[in-house]
Amino acid sequence: MAAKLQAPRGTFDVLPEDGERRTALRESADALLGLAGYAPFETPVFEDTEVFARGVGQSTDIVQKEMFTFEDKGGRSLTLRPEGTAGACRAYVEHGMHKLPQPVKLRYWGPFFRHEAPQAGRYRQFNQIGAEALGSDDPSLDAELILLLAELLEEAEVDCRLRLSSLGNADTRAAYGEELRTYLRSRQDQLSDDVRGRIDANPLRAFDSDHAGTKAVMVEAPLLLDRLDSEDAEHFAEVRAFLDDAEQEYDLDPTLVRGLDYYTRTVFEFESPALGAQSGVGGGGRYDGLVAQLGGPATPGVGWAAGIERILLAGSPGGELALPVAYVAVTDADQRRTAFKITEALRGQGVQAQMEQAGRSMKGQLKHADRLNATHVVVVGEQIEVKDMDTGEQRPVADINELLTRVAL
Ligand code: HAM
């Protein structure tokens, strides 16, 4: 017997019930982001590897360990996108979007790929919803984006807390990096091997470590938030003022480290206790140097992405279709063409309608209608009758108009 085939490790199938919840989430996200002017936008699921190597950063886990990279038949190195921001900036430059009125506001939804060890809430193919605003460094954009994600998560009934910080600019970060390296070297015997090995490449990641010795060292470490220059400190104060005005709660957390190298100034992450170890449900920040790093004109940007699967694990976006459901039952195979026409007419009126398509007995059809939560069953026989599934009452209809009126109510 042939071996049973399964979806690849770390991937999953979306079955219909989950599909309904995803659709509901997507509709609420589209409405929310659309109202704020974020236009639908897509990039390919694979890009030149260079986009991520330059964009996400050579020293990150994503680029070092997690990318699905392959050579195409022409010998070009391509990578399945591990995230959406680098591709969005690549597209912004490629299509000369800096010539459009700024900021350019984009939203996206789709699959992303990271070769991580799979566990609950962590997959190798997952989906993100994201939003990016390019071309302005106005702090109101940082605040607007944070509030949009907060509202999206609230609508999806995800219970979470917001962590917020600022990473300043590249110069402050470089100076602070040196200060932190010196500090880490002075206590390197207490650090984990992993953190010690990365003191030069990415000292900030030490804040992310679960290692007890490292954690103790980090409690006393100097903080970047205390080293911001006056412009960045002012920018961050303005972001916070907008959030305070909106009564958005957050934890100021100078140890917040995001797993991507492009961030400057504002960074944030929403965490949900319901998710356990993979608590990050969505996060983002400002990336004022990324477009230039990818070969474009100096352009500020800010945005976020949230994991669809994590939102669905932690929350419960409403998935019920509000439309009435009708089931068109067939008593005699000869009536199938009439039943088919009635089904089409019902759909034309906005009624979700299905006809019998598996040769069931009348009893079987009524049972199936019940399973589908049908509000009405249209029984097509010698004459046409409508059964109200709530009251159980079954009465003939004179014509199609009466039928439509009775079922649509
Ligand atoms: P990120 O924090 O790497 O940011 O990913 C955003 C969200 O994607 C996470 O909070 C999580 O919900 C979800 N996610 C990430 N990896 C996985 C996985 N292996 N399985 C399931 N869900 C996952 C970014 O990707 C940035 N591009 C966000 C951004 C946009 N920053 C600025 N603009």
Side-chain angles (χ1 to χ4, degrees), residues 62 82-85 108 114 116 121-128 131-132 258-260 262-263 269-270 280-287 302-310:
I62 293 183
E83 63 98 48
T85 312
Y108 52 88
R114 295 184 193 176
E116 298 193 78
R122 191 163 75 193
Y123 311 100
R124 291 184 174 170
Q125 176 174 340
F126 56 97
N127 293 271
Q128 282 185 349
E132 314 284 353
R258 305 260 311 125
L260 306 109
Y262 48 62
Y263 291 113
E269 198 154 278
F270 285 84
V281 59
R286 189 161 269 292
Y287 44 89
V302 57
W304 51 255
I308 307 303
E309 291 75 29
R310 291 194 192 170

Side-chain angles (χ1 to χ4, degrees), residues 216-288:
V217 171
M218 298 324 285
V219 171
E220 290 164 30
L223 297 174
L224 178 54
L225 204 48
D226 299 327
R227 302 285 185 273
L228 299 186
D229 71 16
S230 58
E231 272 184 45
D232 292 341
E234 173 62 20
H235 189 275
F236 192 46
E238 287 192 46
V239 174
R240 293 179 63 186
F242 284 117
L243 294 177
D244 292 341
D245 287 348
E247 295 180 21
Q248 171 64 49
E249 288 181 13
Y250 56 84
D251 296 333
L252 191 62
D253 185 348
T255 68
L256 174 60
V257 178
R258 305 260 311 125
L260 306 109
D261 275 357
Y262 48 62
Y263 291 113
T264 54
R265 293 188 161 176
T266 317
V267 282
F268 54 92
E269 198 154 278
F270 285 84
E271 284 185 356
S272 172
L275 289 172
Q278 302 305 313
S279 60
V281 59
R286 189 161 269 292
Y287 44 89
D288 291 345

